Amino acid sequence: MPTLDLILEVILLTVKVAVLTQIIFALPMPLTWLERKIAGHIQVRLGPWRVGPHGILQPFADAIKLLFKEDIVPDKADKILFKIAPLIAMVPAFAVFAAIPLGDTFKIPVIGAEVKLYLSDMNVGALYILAIGGLSVYGMILGGWASNSKYALLGGLRCSAQMISYEIAVSFAVIGVVMLSNSLNLLEIVKSQGGSFLSWNFLYLPVGPVWFAIFLIGSVAEINRIPFDLSEDEGTLSSGYHTEYSGMRFSFFMLAEYVAMVTVSILSVIFFFGGWNAPFAFLSFIPPIAWFMGKVCFFIYFFMWVRFTLPRYRYDQLMKIGWKILIPLSLVNILITGLMLI
Amino acid sequence: MFEQFFFYIFATVAIVSAICVISVRNPVHSAVFLIVCLLQVAAIFVLLRSPFLAAAQVFIYVGAVMVLFLFAVMVLDMGKAHWKEHLHGQSAPAAVLAGILFILLGYMALKGRMTAPLGTYNEAALVKNTEVVGRALFTKYIFPFEVVSVILLLALVGAIALVMREKRP
């Protein structure tokens, strides 16, 4: 028979999952506004301005527009795969958060009860995130194929080739982090970087910054953002794998992309920038969750900044960077890291 | 109780999707069913308390190998007209070979020769699943592990050699 404790635990977990899912679902709305606003300011224009003050209600207008748009399924499309592809893209983006901690524990001020800020304390967390995060690409490949259109198919193909090339580099970077922190568990990885900013993995000289660079470049390629967004290259493929999608199905792809960006920001912080640890010991009176959110926000801003500053690579350059630079570099780096740890 | 219930769900889905892999006409659909099948196997690994193997299964097979499969299928067969079987009279030997393999595997499984015991580990040691697997691979089973690596390397070299030969006139 299940005991009372177990039932309470399950209820708490369900509530946590529900709250987290709601937050992640809502997150792309402010992010799209932010992205357009930042884009605007970088390109010396105003960005969204008309709906609400400073265009802050623009995401709601966009959401309403997307909801009421006609859901078009091309006549020659593979109907079933076309319809489920956006969901295949979206579900892994959410499932990844089962292993991502947002903090250690949080004390609710009035009741005094402690709530764990993570869903599961998985001891293969890093591997789980890599594995599940990689599944999103199926949504894009299958969506591109099922549309039965040249542009979409080419987008899907580019997506799969790009994914294979850069997943290796990213996994090597994570292996590097695992070597430095001596654990696959994300909580342990953060704990190993406690103290001051000198113990962050990023500053484990000389290999830390190299691992971070590999992770960052590989991740940007994996989440299909400029300068690596070859799979939806609007200059040559109209809009790549989601050319034929409209309305809500299209917005599911966008949702998955934004959630992936948040995930990569969170992972950069956890793997290389000490998670929720304060950079100096005397600053630890500021709650850890604030440090965590601050660092994550910086990375989200960083990705948007990169998007509107860099031009897109050519496809051959993309492959060259993946296979001829990142992978050999990470192999050498693994050797150096291993030698340093002996 | 719960575990058995879930095991039957995963096992049923795995078998049904495995049958679908070989029975549907469209190669892309086959690949999708294979992905479903591999995911179920990963779920069974979780039930067997080896989260590391489950994650590795999803990561390597579902995440990398199947992406390559899909890529190849999509590049090779763009037009639907070509989706007809080309067996070239290989079906009879294939059936015989499959039958022999099936009997061999069944015999081994029934005799209990398919297991490679890790030694005795209690629940607490199994929590450190990754370490247990790693240590077993690099100490006790180092020879088979190296042999498998060499075979994989040979396959890789072979694949590249096949492609190279086509290029030279």
Side-chain angles (χ1 to χ4, degrees):
Chain A
M1 269 307 286
T3 57
L4 190 65
D5 279 355
L6 188 71
I7 294 171
L8 276 178
E9 189 76 10
V10 169
I11 291 173
L12 187 66
L13 201 64
T14 319
V15 171
K16 273 201 261 185
V17 170
V19 171
L20 191 66
T21 315
Q22 299 293 334
I23 293 175
I24 303 169
F25 243 116
L27 214 52
M29 300 246 291
L31 284 182
T32 48
W33 178 78
L34 254 174
E35 177 140 41
R36 293 175 63 181
K37 212 64 191 169
I38 289 170
H41 287 295
I42 285 177
Q43 296 163 352
V44 204
R45 52 187 177 85
L46 286 172
W49 191 260
R50 286 174 190 278
V51 194
H54 287 260
I56 198 145
L57 296 177
Q58 187 67 45
F60 294 97
D62 286 344
I64 293 169
K65 180 196 78 178
L66 283 168
L67 273 171
F68 285 100
K69 257 196 171 175
E70 189 189 353
D71 176 30
I72 301 165
V73 180
D75 200 28
K76 292 264 180 68
D78 189 308
K79 298 278 183 315
I80 301 167
L81 278 182
F82 186 84
K83 282 177 183 166
I84 64 169
L87 299 177
I88 300 177
M90 195 175 68
V91 170
F94 282 80
V96 160
F97 277 83
I100 293 182
L102 303 176
D104 203 353
T105 51
F106 181 71
K107 212 169 227 165
I108 300 171
V110 188
I111 326 163
E114 277 203 339
V115 182
K116 289 174 189 158
L117 286 175
Y118 46 87
L119 289 175
S120 79
D121 183 14
M122 231 178 265
N123 57 7
V124 288
L127 200 58
Y128 170 86
I129 291 169
L130 281 180
I132 301 292
L135 298 187
S136 275
V137 74
Y138 283 116
M140 296 161 194
I141 302 175
L142 293 174
W145 178 80
S147 307
N148 204 358
S149 127
K150 289 185 198 72
Y151 298 128
L153 180 66
L154 282 172
L157 283 177
R158 283 183 177 190
C159 210
S160 58
Q162 184 174 332
M163 172 78 188
I164 295 166
S165 319
Y166 282 83
E167 198 172 20
I168 305 172
V170 171
S171 340
F172 272 133
V174 174
I175 287 176
V177 172
V178 169
M179 284 167 86
L180 294 179
S181 297
N182 207 8
S183 176
L184 277 167
N185 183 327
L186 266 66
L187 283 173
E188 296 287 325
I189 290 176
V190 173
K191 255 177 223 159
S192 75
Q193 302 175 61
S196 75
F197 70 97
L198 288 172
S199 54
W200 290 358
N201 281 339
F202 175 67
L203 286 174
Y204 193 90
L205 297 170
V207 287
V210 182
W211 281 134
F212 176 64
I214 294 171
F215 181 81
L216 197 69
I217 296 171
S219 303
V220 174
E222 272 202 41
I223 59 176
N224 285 318
R225 284 181 70 88
I226 284 179
F228 298 109
D229 70 333
L230 272 295
S231 57
E232 46 185 293
D233 178 357
E234 65 270 5
T236 53
L237 292 182
S238 77
S239 59
Y241 62 90
H242 57 63
T243 306
E244 305 290 338
Y245 282 89
S246 63
M248 277 321 274
R249 291 187 202 286
F250 164 74
S251 69
F252 283 165
F253 277 124
M254 285 296 103
L255 191 72
E257 205 180 306
Y258 275 102
V259 174
M261 186 176 77
V262 174
T263 311
V264 168
S265 308
I266 291 179
L267 288 182
S268 313
V269 171
I270 287 178
F271 285 154
F272 295 99
F273 288 88
W276 44 88
N277 292 313
F280 299 101
F282 68 86
L283 279 176
S284 52
F285 63 90
I286 298 171
I289 189 83
W291 282 116
F292 189 64
M293 290 301 162
K295 290 175 190 173
V296 171
C297 288
F298 170 77
F299 273 101
I300 291 174
Y301 174 74
F302 177 80
F303 284 127
M304 292 178 177
W305 180 17
V306 165
R307 172 165 176 184
F308 292 102
T309 320
L310 296 180
R312 188 181 286 125
Y313 281 110
R314 280 199 323 265
Y315 203 72
D316 60 321
Q317 291 171 329
L318 174 93
M319 286 294 143
K320 217 170 265 173
I321 293 170
W323 290 99
K324 292 189 180 168
I325 299 176
L326 288 187
I327 293 176
L329 187 64
S330 40
L331 285 172
V332 172
N333 219 20
I334 276 197
L335 196 70
I336 299 174
T337 314
L339 287 175
M340 285 180 72
L341 287 173
I342 288 172
Chain B
M1 238 304 276
F2 275 125
E3 279 181 15
Q4 223 160 33
F5 171 71
F6 281 113
F7 172 76
Y8 282 121
I9 291 181
F10 296 143
T12 318
V13 177
I15 291 170
V16 170
S17 51
I19 292 170
C20 287
V21 172
I22 50 173
S23 57
V24 291
R25 288 276 158 185
N26 188 326
V28 174
H29 291 175
S30 286
V32 173
F33 278 117
L34 192 52
I35 294 167
V36 175
C37 181
L38 292 170
L39 281 175
Q40 303 306 313
V41 176
I44 291 174
F45 278 138
V46 173
L47 284 185
L48 291 172
R49 287 188 184 66
S50 44
F52 174 75
L53 274 187
Q57 164 95 4
V58 175
F59 184 44
I60 295 168
Y61 286 97
V62 185
V65 173
M66 287 312 297
V67 174
L68 261 180
F69 269 37
L70 265 180
F71 184 80
V73 165
M74 279 158 59
V75 171
L76 290 180
D77 277 332
M78 296 265 207
K80 281 183 184 166
H82 303 292
W83 289 344
K84 281 181 187 145
E85 287 179 55
H86 300 291
L87 281 177
H88 305 299
Q90 293 164 356
S91 40
V96 171
L97 275 178
I100 292 173
L101 184 70
F102 191 73
I103 291 165
L104 218 71
L105 284 177
Y107 176 75
M108 300 267 274
L110 287 178
K111 281 273 176 182
R113 298 294 298 274
M114 295 280 279
T115 54
L118 280 173
T120 47
Y121 282 100
N122 52 8
E123 202 76 1
L126 275 179
V127 171
K128 299 196 166 189
N129 190 270
T130 319
E131 284 176 42
V132 175
V133 173
R135 199 155 286 157
L137 266 187
F138 284 106
T139 54
K140 198 172 167 190
Y141 296 104
I142 182 78
F143 184 65
F145 181 75
E146 294 291 339
V147 170
V148 168
S149 323
V150 172
I151 292 175
L152 278 176
L153 186 67
L154 279 179
L156 209 75
V157 173
I160 291 169
L162 278 177
V163 179
M164 295 286 272
R165 202 170 299 153
E166 262 176 34
K167 267 189 181 171
R168 275 184 206 140

